[in-house]
Amino acid sequence: MLNKLLFCALVLAPFDLLANWSTFDTPELTDKSKAISTQVNALPEQHLADNRDQSRATNILINTFEQQQSHAKQLNQQLRQFRTSKDPNDWPAIEQTKLSLDSLSQNKAKLLTYVSVNINEQFTGFGPDGVRQLLLEAQVTEAIINYQLISQFRHLVRFTTDLKVSPFPLLVLIFKLSLIGILLSWWLKTAPKLIVSQLKNTKRKPLSGEPISHVIWRYLNKVQAPLAWFAALSIMINTLMTLPGLDSINYLSVVINWSFAAAIIIRLLTEFTSHHSHYNNQSEIVELRVSTVKHWVWTLMAAGIILKATEMSVYQGTIYTWVKTLMLLVLLILLIKTLTNWRSVVFKQLSHSDEQPAYIDWAIKRQAVTLLAPIATLIGVYRLFSQRLFQELFNKLSKYQTFKHAIAYFFRVEVAKQSQADKQNANMVRIKGEETFSYVKPGHEDSELIENYASTELNEIARYVLAPTPAMALIYSERGLGLTTLLKRVIYRANSENAIYISCPYGGYQPLVQQINTALGLAKDADETELLQLLRSTEKRFVFCIDDCQRIISPKVGGLIDLMKLSKLLRRGRNQHGVLLGVEQSAWRFVDRARGERLLFDKVVAMPRWSETQIAALLSSRIDMDGEHALSFAGLKLPKQWDEHELTEKQRAEQGFYRILWDYSDGNPSVALRFFRQSLHQDKISGEVFVRIFKAPDAKELENMPKPMLAVLRAIVQLEVASAEELSACTQLGFAEVLNTLRYFQNRGFIELIDDKAKISSHWFRYITNTLHNQHLLVK
């Protein structure tokens, strides 16, 4: 059957169609064009070329000009003869001349970049030689356009003839284009619903920041339509380019690529600026921003299309250079217009800052001068962008505590240098003793609560301890971070008379049991049996918050006996009671290392250090800015930092001083409050109280102290309050040696004695803990 069909097709088909075979001979270059290509390829690499090579390239370039002119005339002459004779045998020679002319133009573009800059400017500039080259390239372009017109007509005739033989390729092409159109229509209908649903799903996720998936879908929602059209048209053009004679469709491809790229970029930039700009609530700025983006993107698109089309037509010669210069001039005019439009906005924002560098003052004074106004506006734009850039960089780096501490340290050193002369003023005297508490108030039950501090830890421990299940948890922190306040907040959340707060006494386990008995309504001297019977028989659920449990922990062999007895006692209650123990961090480290992986508590939570913002909020709540005990930060010379541009001089001085206290205290509010009180100075003449930089203690002696003496300090930190006997047992040092060491510490103010028991001085607490931490004797 197949043979019969083939025979019928051969019989029915006209003989001239069967005889019209296509040729596949590739035309060769003319001898002169080939010689120039050989000479160009023989030149060394441009970075290896010397003056002799550039001189040789110049001679080849001049010869190329002559051959271009000759080949252009020859091509025009051949085309005129072909129009008259219409002899197909003349077409190979025409193609050879056209191919040679293209080769000459490519070689000329290479040689123009190879020769020296002066030669290049001579032939591409606006001088006589440049004009001659422009006329020559126009002549070449005219010849190529004439060739393209005739060539396209010949390809159309051949394509029509081929369709009579087999229309199958055209049917396949129509099918592909139809399929592309169907897919495009389906996407335009489906994509909006799909993207909106994905935006809703990603937005529901409980994340602190915007999920990256939500960002992607948000931007895709803005560009899905032009992106779909761009993909569809690009595929259509690539499909059409398979047809013979449609090489010129490349120009349409350039227009589509640049046009849709401009539309997509405009939408992306508009979405980005509207999402991240600080001025979305100002309609004037929003409208100006959108119009500026559109003008620049569409202008760059037009310039790109013109330059690319010029390069494809005449390569990078004189016409291309002239067009590029014209495009640069257009962009310069657009820049001046943009600066003129933004001038009022730029200088309005610059006016918000009190202190400006000299070049900004110059720009402000000349903003109304016609010729200098664009330059002044450009300087203002640079200032605003540099400020914004450093602001963003500072905000990113400020997330790291190391960077913040480094900034605060250099800040403190600079402030100390500037304030030294003010401190030596004879009229300024430091306020001491109890009087400081009148200006920086101590904490009490009604003090303002910094609720955002340790909120995560509070929620975590409260959910566990207050739930109707047996629970024994522990929370630890450095002294002064607010552990007692957090335990009382747990009691407040319990909202029950069965929630009991107990501060562990210094006496140890037995006095603690007596306090528990009293709190539960038992006799103070009741034994553990009665206490256990009550805990087992009661239907009430008690919540015990026991503070200062480091007082029943001793850093020595057998030092956990009291803690183990307490945990065993409370667990034997056999009821759903909740227990929360508060321990200082240094004591907990000893417990943690001594117990290893053996379970002692159901949950252990660490309290974080205070952030700079939290320290500042606490200090601000403890002072008065008006009234009898008002404080003044006037005269405190603090350099401006990148995160303080919107603050007044008074606010900047206050916040800057709080930053110094936060850095020195390492996030400990008790230490910050103490040195805040040491920073109060009073003018003897006016009686006004000022804040000045405090004098930190010198820790050189601590850093060079022998290890046995540091071990005694570590034991005091862990025990909170310790007698000489306890220190001797904990450090394995002789009693006499411990007494001498304590006397040495007391003489230098490192410790305070309370009923013959040693306690770390509040003044030296931070430096002692830092030294022990640096010596790997303590973990802060």
Side-chain angles (χ1 to χ4, degrees):
M1 184 178 294
L2 182 62
N3 292 332
K4 292 180 179 180
L5 290 175
L6 181 61
F7 176 77
C8 293
L10 291 173
V11 172
L12 296 176
F15 179 76
D16 59 337
L17 291 180
L18 296 175
N20 191 14
W21 303 102
S22 300
T23 60
F24 294 94
D25 295 334
T26 302
E28 295 184 355
L29 300 177
T30 60
D31 294 337
K32 294 182 179 180
S33 177
K34 189 182 300 183
I36 290 177
S37 294
T38 303
Q39 293 175 357
V40 171
N41 294 330
L43 292 172
E45 296 290 336
Q46 188 170 4
H47 64 279
L48 300 175
D50 53 14
N51 293 334
R52 183 177 180 181
D53 295 326
Q54 288 189 342
S55 177
R56 185 155 50 117
T58 304
N59 294 329
I60 299 174
L61 180 62
I62 294 174
N63 187 24
T64 303
F65 294 156
E66 296 174 354
Q67 293 303 321
Q68 268 192 307
Q69 187 175 11
S70 173
H71 280 70
K73 291 180 179 179
Q74 182 179 353
L75 181 60
N76 282 326
Q77 183 179 359
Q78 290 174 337
L79 290 173
R80 284 194 297 269
Q81 182 178 354
F82 181 80
R83 290 193 192 97
T84 304
S85 64
K86 300 196 185 310
D87 187 0
N89 296 324
D90 294 339
W91 189 253
I94 296 175
E95 287 189 331
Q96 181 184 34
T97 306
K98 164 61 169 57
L99 182 63
S100 301
L101 191 57
D102 288 340
S103 175
L104 290 171
S105 298
Q106 293 175 4
N107 289 324
K108 184 184 77 170
K110 294 179 182 178
L111 290 171
L112 285 174
T113 60
Y114 194 94
V115 298
S116 63
V117 176
N118 294 333
I119 298 297
N120 182 287
E121 292 179 351
Q122 178 182 351
F123 292 114
T124 60
F126 297 94
D129 290 331
V131 174
R132 293 189 186 97
Q133 282 301 310
L134 181 69
L135 296 176
L136 174 59
E137 291 183 3
Q139 183 180 358
V140 172
T141 303
E142 180 187 2
I144 292 175
I145 291 174
N146 292 333
Y147 168 83
Q148 291 290 348
L149 292 175
I150 297 177
S151 176
Q152 292 294 337
F153 179 76
R154 283 175 51 81
H155 282 299
L156 182 61
V157 172
R158 176 174 294 179
F159 178 68
T160 305
T161 304
D162 291 342
L163 286 179
K164 296 178 181 179
V165 179
S166 174
F168 185 75
L170 180 61
L171 297 177
V172 172
L173 178 64
I174 295 174
F175 173 76
K176 290 180 179 180
L177 296 179
S178 302
L179 181 60
I180 294 172
I182 293 172
L183 292 176
L184 175 62
S185 177
W186 172 83
W187 174 259
L188 293 178
K189 293 179 180 178
T190 308
K193 300 178 182 178
L194 174 65
I195 295 175
V196 169
S197 64
Q198 291 296 329
L199 284 172
K200 292 180 179 178
N201 293 335
T202 55
K203 196 172 184 179
R204 289 196 192 105
K205 295 181 179 180
L207 299 176
S208 57
E210 186 180 14
I212 185 64
S213 58
H214 188 269
V215 175
I216 295 174
W217 286 110
R218 178 162 55 82
Y219 281 105
L220 183 60
N221 185 43
K222 295 295 181 181
V223 300
Q224 56 88 13
L227 196 62
W229 277 102
F230 173 63
L233 292 177
S234 298
I235 296 175
M236 286 181 179
I237 289 177
N238 290 333
T239 304
L240 291 173
M241 287 177 61
T242 59
L243 295 177
L246 291 182
D247 297 338
S248 299
I249 204 171
N250 284 333
Y251 292 95
L252 180 59
S253 177
V254 171
V255 174
I256 290 176
N257 290 343
W258 280 87
S259 300
F260 279 94
I264 293 171
I265 290 173
I266 287 176
R267 296 197 178 197
L268 290 176
L269 288 177
T270 303
E271 174 64 17
F272 177 82
T273 53
S274 64
H275 191 74
H276 295 279
S277 178
H278 295 291
Y279 303 100
N280 286 326
N281 56 344
Q282 300 182 21
S283 58
E284 176 188 359
I285 295 181
V286 173
E287 182 180 354
L288 186 59
R289 183 178 64 211
V290 172
S291 64
T292 301
V293 170
K294 288 183 177 179
H295 288 158
W296 274 96
V297 173
W298 287 118
T299 304
L300 290 174
M301 177 218 58
I305 292 175
I306 294 173
L307 287 175
K308 187 63 178 178
T310 305
E311 181 184 3
M312 292 169 60
S313 301
V314 296
Y315 303 98
Q316 295 187 13
T318 303
I319 293 178
Y320 180 85
T321 304
W322 282 34
V323 171
K324 185 168 70 172
T325 304
L326 177 61
M327 293 298 103
L328 292 176
L329 181 60
V330 171
L331 292 177
L332 179 61
I333 296 174
L334 180 60
L335 176 61
I336 295 175
K337 182 180 183 300
T338 302
L339 292 174
T340 303
N341 294 338
W342 280 91
R343 181 175 58 185
S344 60
V345 176
V346 169
F347 286 103
K348 182 179 179 180
Q349 294 183 16
L350 287 175
S351 64
H352 295 163
S353 300
D354 298 331
E355 301 178 4
Q356 297 286 7
Y359 66 91
I360 294 298
D361 293 334
W362 179 89
I364 293 175
K365 294 178 182 178
R366 289 159 179 80
Q367 59 177 306
V369 180
T370 304
L371 297 178
L372 298 179
I375 299 176
T377 308
L378 185 62
I379 293 174
V381 171
Y382 164 76
R383 173 67 175 175
L384 293 176
F385 270 100
S386 62
Q387 284 183 333
R388 180 67 181 276
L389 177 63
F390 280 104
Q391 178 72 52
E392 292 296 329
L393 180 62
F394 188 91
N395 292 339
K396 295 293 184 183
L397 293 177
S398 294
K399 297 179 181 178
Y400 302 96
Q401 294 297 321
T402 303
F403 175 79
K404 296 181 71 174
H405 280 294
I407 291 295
Y409 171 76
F410 291 113
F411 193 41
R412 174 157 52 99
V413 171
E414 181 65 22
V415 173
K417 291 178 181 179
Q418 295 180 6
S419 302
Q420 189 63 32
D422 194 25
K423 282 186 174 183
Q424 296 175 356
N425 188 349
N427 294 329
M428 299 288 285
V429 293
R430 192 166 71 86
I431 300 178
K432 301 178 181 179
E434 296 294 329
E435 188 180 359
T436 59
F437 291 95
S438 300
Y439 295 94
V440 182
K441 302 178 181 62
H444 51 82
E445 293 293 334
D446 296 328
S447 296
E448 181 178 339
L449 185 65
I450 310 302
E451 295 186 1
N452 61 346
Y453 168 69
S455 57
T456 303
E457 289 73 15
L458 175 62
N459 294 332
E460 181 181 3
I461 206 72
R463 281 196 303 266
Y464 188 77
V465 175
L466 302 181
T469 56
M472 178 172 286
L474 180 141
I475 185 166
Y476 65 91
S477 75
E478 185 183 57
R479 190 210 313 180
L481 289 185
L483 177 57
T484 300
T485 302
L486 186 136
L487 294 176
K488 291 183 177 180
R489 292 178 71 181
V490 174
I491 296 292
Y492 177 78
R493 282 200 179 188
N495 193 23
S496 171
E497 60 181 10
N498 299 323
I500 302 171
Y501 172 82
I502 298 174
S503 178
C504 184
Y506 288 110
Y509 176 71
Q510 288 301 330
L512 176 58
V513 172
Q514 292 175 0
Q515 286 199 13
I516 295 176
N517 289 335
T518 303
L520 294 176
L522 296 174
K524 182 177 181 181
D525 297 330
D527 57 16
E528 294 184 10
T529 304
E530 296 180 45
L531 176 58
L532 284 173
Q533 184 178 1
L534 174 63
L535 292 177
R536 291 180 179 183
S537 61
T538 183
E539 296 182 357
K540 301 177 181 179
R541 182 181 188 272
F542 291 104
V543 176
F544 298 97
C545 291
I546 306 177
D547 199 3
D548 299 319
C549 286
Q550 68 275 359
R551 296 170 184 172
I552 58 174
I553 300 172
S554 182
K556 63 182 179 181
V557 177
L560 301 183
I561 294 177
D562 288 347
L563 180 64
M564 302 295 294
K565 290 168 62 177
L566 176 64
S567 63
K568 183 178 180 181
L569 173 66
L570 296 177
R571 286 186 187 276
R572 288 170 62 193
R574 294 182 184 176
N575 208 331
Q576 296 183 348
H577 304 302
V579 180
L580 177 60
L581 305 183
V583 182
E584 279 200 8
Q585 179 170 303
S586 56
W588 167 247
R589 292 297 181 186
F590 172 75
V591 176
D592 188 36
R593 292 180 178 180
R595 292 288 300 175
E597 296 182 355
R598 291 173 293 173
L599 180 65
L600 181 60
F601 300 100
D602 304 325
K603 194 172 193 62
V604 177
V605 176
M607 289 185 63
R609 296 188 178 275
W610 289 54
S611 67
E612 179 186 342
T613 306
Q614 292 164 349
I615 289 282
L618 175 68
L619 298 179
S620 297
S621 67
R622 298 291 181 88
I623 64 173
D624 293 329
M625 303 304 292
D626 300 307
E628 181 182 356
H629 298 101
L631 288 182
S632 175
F633 290 86
L636 193 62
K637 302 176 182 178
L638 301 176
K640 181 183 293 186
Q641 296 195 21
W642 285 104
D643 57 345
E644 298 175 344
H645 288 290
E646 298 181 358
L647 300 180
T648 63
E649 192 71 26
K650 175 183 174 182
Q651 292 173 332
R652 187 166 68 244
E654 182 179 358
Q655 296 299 322
F657 186 73
Y658 293 158
R659 173 170 291 172
I660 293 174
L661 289 173
W662 165 81
D663 172 62
Y664 177 77
S665 67
D666 197 13
N668 190 311
S670 298
V671 177
L673 284 167
R674 175 174 179 80
F675 283 92
F676 192 11
R677 295 187 180 102
Q678 289 194 358
S679 306
L680 306 181
H681 293 72
Q682 187 172 35
D683 191 324
K684 293 188 294 186
I685 298 177
S686 63
E688 191 174 1
V689 178
F690 295 91
V691 176
R692 293 295 179 263
I693 299 301
F694 57 88
K695 182 179 181 181
D698 189 0
K700 292 181 180 178
E701 189 174 6
L702 276 173
E703 295 171 354
N704 299 324
M705 192 174 289
K707 287 294 191 295
M709 300 179 71
L710 291 176
V712 174
L713 278 178
R714 179 182 66 176
I716 299 174
V717 173
Q718 291 174 327
L719 291 170
E720 184 185 2
V721 175
S723 64
E725 292 82 359
E726 291 173 322
L727 292 174
S728 177
C730 293
T731 59
Q732 299 296 312
L733 297 175
F735 182 74
E737 185 177 358
V738 171
L739 282 179
N740 292 332
T741 302
L742 292 178
R743 190 179 298 111
Y744 178 87
F745 290 161
Q746 185 182 13
N747 178 265
R748 284 157 177 76
F750 297 160
I751 64 172
E752 301 170 355
L753 290 181
I754 303 175
D755 297 332
D756 294 330
K757 291 188 176 183
K759 181 179 181 180
I760 297 295
S761 168
S762 299
H763 183 72
W764 284 92
F765 175 77
R766 175 51 69 219
Y767 262 124
I768 289 175
T769 54
N770 284 343
T771 303
L772 293 175
H773 177 77
N774 295 335
Q775 297 290 337
H776 305 288
L777 296 174
L778 187 73
V779 179
K780 291 199 302 181

